[in-house]
């Protein structure tokens, strides 16, 4: 095989390595939004989970297609680090994300954006993080997914 092809494939592998396996949120109408890919940078030990440090900055790239239009969208990040299934730890308070996503959102138009976060003080263990993006004018229109992270002892 041509050495250039090998190098290109290796680069591709390297770029792909931060994809993380995502799950649909429970109790959410998943017909409202298709989440194609979620990549966390960096994501050591991916794609099943990312090994993270509480004080380090991470970015999540979300590749999605909303099935609703929206002028005003908000996004928030939560974690279930206490494993109570309530996602009651706020990582990112709800904020307007038109600067990131280019509003308005058109139905069936595929988009992607990056959002940055730092976990802050959390105990070691494996737990999920939830990201929600919603139409502020109709909160049942949302894109929601979870992915797992692990904080080492
Ligand atoms: C909110 O969105 C849902 C799902 O698309 C839709 O069924 C409902 O009619 C919408 N409600 C309003 C008030 O537009």
């Amino acid at each position: 095989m041509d050495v250039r092809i090998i190098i290109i494939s290796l680069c591709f592998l390297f770029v792909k390595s931060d994809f993380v396996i995502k799950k649909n949120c429970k109790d959410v109408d998943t017909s409202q939004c298709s989440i194609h890919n979620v990549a966390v940078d960096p994501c050591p030990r991916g794609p099943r989970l990312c090994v993270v440090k509480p004080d380090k900055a991470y970015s999540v790239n979300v590749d999605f297609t909303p099935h609703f239009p929206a002028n005003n969208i908000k996004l928030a990040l939560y974690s279930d680090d206490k494993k109570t299934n309530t996602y009651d730890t706020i990582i990112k308070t709800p904020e307007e994300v038109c600067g990131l996503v280019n509003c308005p959102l058109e139905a069936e138009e595929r988009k992607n954006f990056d959002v940055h976060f730092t976990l802050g003080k959390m105990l070691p263990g494996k737990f999920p993080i939830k990201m929600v993006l919603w139409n502020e004018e109709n909160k049942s229109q949302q894109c929601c997914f979870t992915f797992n992270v692990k904080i080492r002892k």
Side-chain angles (χ1 to χ4, degrees):
M1 208 196 312
D2 189 319
V3 90
R4 278 169 302 180
I5 294 174
I6 297 173
I7 290 170
I8 289 166
S9 332
L10 282 176
C11 291
F12 191 62
L13 263 179
F14 183 70
V15 169
K16 282 237 151 205
S17 69
D18 52 4
F19 278 93
V20 69
I21 293 171
K22 44 105 178 100
K23 288 187 195 138
N24 289 328
C25 295
K26 292 186 182 107
D27 311 317
V28 164
D29 179 1
T30 51
S31 71
Q32 294 299 312
C33 186
S34 303
I35 312 277
H36 309 294
N37 288 301
V38 176
V40 178
D41 183 29
C43 179
R45 298 290 177 85
R48 203 172 55 80
L49 53 73
C50 305
V51 174
V52 294
K53 293 186 176 133
D55 53 352
K56 194 174 153 79
Y58 293 88
S59 74
V60 187
N61 181 272
V62 187
D63 172 9
F64 74 112
T65 304
H67 304 303
F68 57 88
N71 294 311
N72 184 356
I73 46 175
K74 288 203 169 168
L75 177 144
L77 273 173
Y78 304 94
S79 81
D80 192 29
D81 52 304
K82 297 180 199 87
K83 291 179 205 143
T84 51
N85 257 315
T86 52
Y87 291 89
D88 55 359
T89 303
I90 298 172
I91 298 175
K92 218 174 185 40
T93 51
E95 61 180 56
E96 168 77 61
V97 283
C98 285
L100 289 178
V101 188
N102 266 334
C103 294
L105 218 54
E106 305 281 356
E108 314 314 325
E109 190 188 328
R110 186 166 177 167
K111 291 201 172 188
N112 81 83
F113 64 93
D114 287 305
V115 50
H116 301 271
F117 73 89
T118 302
L119 289 179
K121 210 167 186 174
M122 281 178 197
L123 296 174
K126 180 188 151 187
F127 57 87
I129 290 180
K130 174 157 94 175
M131 179 181 284
V132 198
L133 177 153
W134 69 93
N135 180 0
E136 185 67 4
E137 282 144 37
N138 184 344
K139 289 178 183 161
S140 65
Q141 297 178 320
Q142 58 172 280
C143 299
C144 184
F145 64 86
T146 66
F147 62 94
N148 288 323
V149 298
K150 184 178 177 180
I151 296 181
R152 282 230 185 89
K153 286 208 180 79

